[in-house]
Amino acid sequence: MDLTKISSPSFLKDLNKKQLEALAKDIRAFLIEKCAATGGHLGPNLGVVELTIALHKAFNSPKDKFLWDVGHQAYVHKILTGRADQFDTLRQFKGLCGFPKLVESDHDMWETGHSSTSLSAAMGMAAARDIKGDKNFVVPIIGDGALTGGMALEALNHIGHEKTHMITILNDNEMSIAPNVGALHDVLGRLRTAKEYSRAKEDLESLMLKIPVVGDKLASTAERVKDSLKYLVVSGVFFEEMGFKYLGPIDGHDFEALEKTLEYAKKVKGPVLVHVLTKKGKGYKPAEDDTVGTWHGTGPYKIETGAFVKSATKGPAWSSLVSESVRKCMAEDKRIVTITPAMPVGSKLEGIQRDFPNRFFDVGIAEQHATTMAAGLATQHMKPFLSIYSTFLQRAYDQVLHDIARPKLNVFIGIDRAGLVGADGETHQGVFDISFLRHIPNIVLMMPKDENEGQHMVKTAFEYNDGPIALRYPRGNGYGVEMDAELKALPIGSWEVLREGNDAVILTFGTTIPMAMEAADVLAQQGIQVRVVNARFIKPMDENMLHEIMKAGLPILTIEESMLQGGFGSAVLEFAFDHKYRNSTIERIGIPDEFIEHGDVDQLLAEINVTAEEAVKRIEQLVPKNSQVGFNKV
Ligand SMILES: Cc1ncc(C[n+]2csc(CCOP(=O)(O)OP(=O)(O)O)c2C)c(N)n1
């Protein structure tokens, strides 16, 4: 079938099982082909092909509302709702978003990218429906990984209590990104086993019913045994006790089972949970065989071999650099404990997990818990390293503020994926952390200029004993600089002059340093000499250097790959104002007051004028002809 001809899911209603299976096959081939070129969340989407088709057949979207948790598995939904023709642009600049997007389609009810929000949003939609007296189904689809998130559990608690009518689909593939963890995962495991158990009992019953005379009696005994044993095994079914009608577990690749169960679920009043078992990566061998999480989200790959198309890199991945430096420190200091909220693969923590299993915790998708657990460890004079993506640290703002910074606990926060992340887009850009951390008392915030400085910052963090310290590092790879063999701690709050100049100053840090150096080169050719400063401590800033620069009256340009509001440039403005440098000229380059969509990072930066050209332009405007200011002129 030509999938680009699909304009609405209504055609599914007339398809028979054979036709549905043929459609599933076509969708799988399409996904494998398109993701090979663009990259994307192949594994999760291959797992939900039949489930998504069955949902669109059983319900009437957009009247009935689907909410895809995390949203990375909505590709099949996008195909069935008329967007197959846009898949060549998937996750690219101005192209199809990798997550549900309200502006893309009426069928996208709920925008997301962060996990575990679907049940709460569904509760809101269902409550609105009931208050307004509307008649429609609300159907959140949540993975077994996302179900471990605190928000999902809070919502389960509330929905079960309110007895709100909604049909929750639990897509259980036993994987988060990495293998799923936690006691809830074990509960689901018992439910899966119970299925085998129930089937064995059913076989036993039907066998006994075939035996004349005593058969009936035996069967009723068996039924009682089955019930009591099932109760033991399933322990009353966790979800039933939470107030949900539990249906399942069913095979998520079997159209008949899906149709039968969904039709039954539609008749039940109150909250229903349909437990669907799926295989992540189904239909593509390399993804099916993945037990680690490599095929959860990928870059481009060769279809025949499953080999990833590697882009040219010079240095190590930033995540590896930090995690390896932490691992070195863990070998020397038994107090160091590493915590990750479900990202051991993304943050490249496998070496730590392997070497120090007793001092490594994957806590599931639980950023708040991870953060306060780190605080708890610190109260006992351990040295926690909390590894967390910038975007997901947003979930744990209060825990950083209230549980770590306020009591001044020594927690080292590794802020991975700081800055623009590219293809994952709006929901994942790591551009807010400076603004939401900088104002918290007691915290130290730093970002290295290269991987060598990065490894020294890891050492700095573990040696620091005066409260929380956070190290930001970007997505992607370092520059391939020479690495010192010995790790050394840097003086807290010290900046570094990378290039001298007497006409203007650029203050910048991390990924925008090369941009500043390039601008300084261009300006030097015009006779404008710019001092470029590696402002590696965003907090505390190097106040001595700031006084020196501001006393000299030099124009200042700050550059950051971070929100302008409340960002590093704002800190420099505040400093000038508070110290009464009222005549200082300060300009800022950074992320404007808007959400930045998906696309190649350089393209995105160009779009918002965070470029060397813009820096040149600004400095040209700032530096007056025949300037009387300067370090030696005052
Ligand atoms: C708050 C938050 N933390 C971490 C992530 C990163 N993340 C994306 S998908 C995922 C695993 C989701 O697992 P599951 O819900 O089982 O879906 P599956 O991919 O297995 O279908 C994680 C941890 C996220 N999106 N949001």
Side-chain angles (χ1 to χ4, degrees):
M1 177 177 188
D2 181 355
L3 302 177
T4 61
K5 295 273 182 328
I6 299 173
S7 57
S8 131
S10 53
F11 76 102
L12 292 169
K13 307 280 179 213
D14 302 326
L15 300 193
N16 61 32
K17 186 176 169 230
K18 227 171 164 183
Q19 290 166 318
L20 292 173
E21 280 167 358
L23 174 65
K25 203 167 163 218
D26 290 345
I27 290 179
R28 283 214 166 81
F30 179 89
L31 287 173
I32 294 165
E33 182 203 323
K34 297 297 174 190
C35 289
T38 59
H41 287 99
L42 183 69
N45 280 287
L46 288 177
V48 296
V49 175
E50 289 84 5
L51 174 61
T52 311
I53 295 172
L55 284 168
H56 272 291
K57 189 170 192 297
F59 295 95
N60 293 311
S61 170
K63 183 170 181 266
D64 296 330
K65 323 247 173 259
F66 294 133
L67 297 92
W68 301 93
D69 206 287
V70 187
H72 61 308
Q73 77 292 52
Y75 297 1
V76 187
H77 162 81
K78 291 200 180 204
I79 293 169
L80 295 176
T81 52
R83 283 169 274 178
D85 59 342
Q86 296 169 51
F87 267 72
D88 289 331
T89 68
L90 181 68
R91 291 155 53 88
Q92 290 162 27
F93 190 52
K94 308 267 185 217
L96 191 68
C97 183
F99 296 89
K101 195 102 185 86
L102 266 61
V103 293
E104 269 182 22
S105 168
D106 289 345
H107 294 275
D108 289 9
M109 287 294 149
W110 180 241
E111 275 194 11
T112 167
H114 286 198
S115 126
S116 316
T117 63
S118 65
L119 297 184
S120 302
M123 177 64 197
M125 289 184 196
R129 173 200 60 199
D130 295 345
I131 293 164
K132 291 194 284 181
D134 289 348
K135 295 267 171 281
N136 61 267
F137 292 103
V138 176
V139 187
I141 301 114
I142 186 164
D144 55 308
L147 192 69
T148 65
M151 273 189 80
L153 299 175
E154 290 171 30
L156 274 186
N157 186 42
H158 183 214
I159 295 164
H161 171 72
E162 294 279 349
K163 306 255 173 288
T164 305
H165 179 45
M166 72 168 76
I167 300 173
T168 298
I169 309 293
L170 171 59
N171 170 32
D172 180 4
N173 53 25
E174 296 190 62
M175 291 285 281
S176 185
I177 289 184
N180 201 5
V181 294
L184 200 54
H185 173 65
D186 300 340
V187 169
L188 298 182
R190 284 197 288 278
L191 291 175
R192 279 188 295 268
T193 330
K195 176 183 138 187
E196 301 308 317
Y197 169 78
S198 301
R199 193 175 289 153
K201 280 289 160 199
E202 271 153 27
D203 291 350
L204 178 72
E205 274 167 40
S206 56
L207 184 78
M208 284 187 298
L209 278 169
K210 284 181 194 143
I211 305 170
V213 191
V214 289
D216 269 1
K217 223 175 182 177
L218 267 178
S220 66
T221 312
E223 179 66 33
R224 279 203 306 277
V225 173
K226 180 185 119 182
D227 278 354
S228 58
L229 279 180
K230 189 174 175 191
Y231 197 87
L232 268 182
V233 177
V234 179
S235 94
V237 185
F238 172 78
F239 297 105
E240 294 268 346
E241 297 200 338
M242 291 295 285
F244 284 68
K245 170 85 185 158
Y246 172 84
L247 302 178
I250 58 164
D251 179 350
H253 304 295
D254 175 345
F255 280 115
E256 269 172 31
L258 284 165
E259 186 167 346
K260 211 168 88 188
T261 314
L262 292 175
E263 288 308 324
Y264 180 66
K266 280 158 73 174
K267 296 193 185 98
V268 178
K269 294 280 162 257
V272 188
L273 184 132
V274 183
H275 187 182
V276 181
L277 305 182
T278 59
K279 173 89 188 138
K280 212 165 175 169
K282 186 163 173 74
Y284 185 55
K285 185 105 181 37
E288 266 193 30
D289 292 347
D290 174 24
T291 52
V292 180
T294 326
W295 284 88
H296 174 87
T298 73
Y301 53 89
K302 295 236 180 311
I303 297 177
E304 309 72 43
T305 56
F308 295 116
V309 180
K310 292 253 185 298
S311 48
T313 52
K314 291 188 186 136
W318 275 102
S319 304
S320 304
L321 179 273
V322 171
S323 118
E324 280 307 290
S325 307
V326 170
R327 195 170 65 89
K328 272 186 208 161
C329 296
M330 285 180 87
E332 284 164 16
D333 189 340
K334 289 201 166 30
R335 294 170 302 169
I336 300 175
V337 176
T338 294
I339 305 173
T340 174
M343 303 304 274
V345 182
S347 286
K348 308 243 186 291
L349 301 167
E350 296 97 334
I352 295 177
Q353 189 169 19
R354 181 196 60 227
D355 291 356
F356 305 105
N358 296 337
R359 287 189 280 142
F360 173 83
F361 295 92
D362 175 357
V363 301
I365 308 177
E367 287 78 10
Q368 304 179 2
H369 164 64
T371 307
T372 300
M373 179 182 164
L377 280 158
T379 63
Q380 301 308 303
H381 309 293
M382 303 299 279
K383 287 191 167 180
F385 167 60
L386 171 64
S387 164
I388 193 162
Y389 284 20
S390 167
T391 189
F392 304 137
L393 185 59
Q394 288 165 202
R395 281 270 164 99
Y397 169 74
D398 184 57
Q399 286 72 13
V400 172
L401 187 151
H402 180 271
D403 299 335
I404 295 179
R406 203 181 37 81
K408 225 175 174 190
L409 293 171
N410 295 327
V411 175
F412 171 18
I413 308 175
I415 308 181
D416 199 347
R417 305 314 199 255
L420 294 174
V421 296
D424 277 339
E426 225 171 77
T427 54
H428 284 62
Q429 310 288 17
V431 295
F432 300 99
D433 61 88
I434 293 181
S435 306
F436 72 73
L437 293 177
R438 189 172 70 77
H439 58 245
I440 298 179
N442 297 335
I443 200 163
V444 173
L445 199 50
M446 54 190 174
M447 188 166 193
K449 68 170 187 284
D450 58 32
E451 57 268 38
N452 191 35
E453 194 168 70
Q455 65 167 351
H456 294 315
M457 283 186 173
V458 169
K459 179 80 172 164
T460 310
F462 284 127
E463 292 216 344
Y464 183 68
N465 274 322
D466 205 19
I469 182 162
L471 168 60
R472 308 179 81 236
Y473 46 101
R475 186 173 182 277
N477 291 62
Y479 306 105
V481 299
E482 208 169 302
M483 302 293 282
D484 297 333
E486 286 289 304
L487 300 187
K488 60 168 194 272
L490 304 172
I492 300 292
S494 65
W495 290 354
E496 179 195 31
V497 176
L498 297 173
R499 175 186 179 122
E500 268 304 356
N502 213 12
D503 295 316
V505 176
I506 297 179
L507 302 176
T508 189
F509 54 92
T511 46
T512 43
I513 287 177
M515 203 180 278
M517 296 298 266
E518 188 186 328
D521 281 344
V522 173
L523 288 159
Q525 284 163 19
Q526 301 173 25
I528 300 173
Q529 304 304 331
V530 180
R531 176 190 271 201
V532 178
V533 175
N534 170 17
R536 56 196 179 187
F537 286 90
I538 298 149
K539 184 181 182 176
M541 297 192 294
D542 189 330
E543 299 209 345
N544 291 338
M545 198 185 291
L546 276 174
H547 279 300
E548 184 205 10
I549 294 166
M550 289 186 185
K551 274 186 189 141
L554 286 178
I556 297 170
L557 176 67
T558 64
I559 310 179
E560 59 196 304
E561 195 182 312
S562 174
M563 292 308 284
L564 283 172
Q565 266 136 338
F568 167 72
S570 298
V572 174
L573 286 172
E574 286 162 18
F575 181 90
F577 189 85
D578 292 348
H579 293 88
K580 309 216 167 13
Y581 292 111
R582 297 286 154 85
N583 294 326
S584 55
T585 318
I586 301 168
E587 293 248 343
R588 298 175 301 151
I589 290 179
I591 313 254
D593 188 13
E594 62 190 68
F595 290 104
I596 308 296
E597 292 198 355
H598 48 281
D600 172 75
V601 170
D602 287 339
Q603 245 169 336
L604 295 174
L605 288 171
E607 179 81 356
I608 53 172
N609 283 328
V610 181
T611 58
E613 295 77 54
E614 180 69 12
V616 169
K617 204 170 91 190
R618 297 279 194 101
I619 299 240
E620 282 170 347
Q621 289 162 358
L622 283 177
V623 176
K625 299 272 173 271
N626 305 319
S627 167
Q628 292 308 304
V629 298
F631 292 115
N632 306 315
K633 297 177 192 167
V634 186

